Amino acid sequence: MIINHKAVSLTEAATMLNLNEQEVLRLSQHGYLEQSKPEDGKTRISLHSLERYAHRNAIALQEVPKPFVGLAGSFTIGEAMTKLGLKTEAMVHKLIQVGKLKAGFEGGAYVVNAQSLHNYVTGRC
């Protein structure tokens, strides 16, 4: 376990490597990626080990969507899709169905809770 190094959440690591979280966890368990000190009980992956793994395997690291400033309020499904860098609104609905995002009706429109979107992006869900 690495301590005092830059680390990213499992979700961020998966986004950067264009893999799912299970695959990133498996790479970590097999020693290809290094786990950092857990934060709030969540698995963290050393950024340095991600960069080394990507370089060794000729993988271009993907950019992680930046958290946004305004957390109060909500976003339309389309806005959430854009902020998450997803290709279809159906992908946003899937995240809602599996409980990664919170959504509801506001003013007659189906919207995604901004705080849940922030938590998802930062790996706190």
Side-chain angles (χ1 to χ4, degrees):
M1 182 185 315
I2 305 295
I3 300 174
N4 295 332
H5 283 262
K6 286 188 178 181
V8 295
S9 70
L10 202 52
T11 303
E12 291 169 320
T15 300
M16 292 173 76
L17 291 173
N18 203 22
L19 300 171
N20 65 44
E21 291 180 20
Q22 287 300 110
E23 292 169 316
V24 172
L25 199 50
R26 197 172 304 116
L27 287 171
S28 173
Q29 291 167 343
H30 290 290
Y32 295 104
L33 297 174
E34 297 170 356
Q35 287 190 21
S36 186
K37 183 179 178 185
E39 200 172 284
D40 296 324
K42 303 279 186 182
T43 301
R44 308 281 292 167
I45 304 295
S46 161
L47 185 57
H48 181 69
S49 73
L50 271 176
E51 292 167 344
R52 277 194 336 243
Y53 178 80
H55 179 74
R56 280 193 312 260
N57 293 287
I59 298 171
L61 290 176
Q62 304 298 309
E63 203 172 305
V64 176
K66 302 280 186 248
F68 23 86
V69 178
L71 298 180
S74 55
F75 296 97
T76 65
I77 299 296
E79 289 170 334
M81 177 187 78
T82 301
K83 292 207 177 285
L84 293 172
L86 300 174
K87 295 181 181 179
T88 66
E89 290 185 2
M91 296 170 99
V92 176
H93 287 290
K94 189 68 169 174
L95 289 171
I96 294 166
Q97 289 171 350
V98 299
K100 297 286 185 181
L101 298 176
K102 293 179 184 174
F105 284 97
E106 195 175 280
Y110 195 55
V111 294
V112 176
N113 175 279
Q115 184 65 50
S116 73
L117 194 56
H118 173 75
N119 291 346
Y120 177 75
V121 169
T122 58
R124 295 183 196 155
C125 56

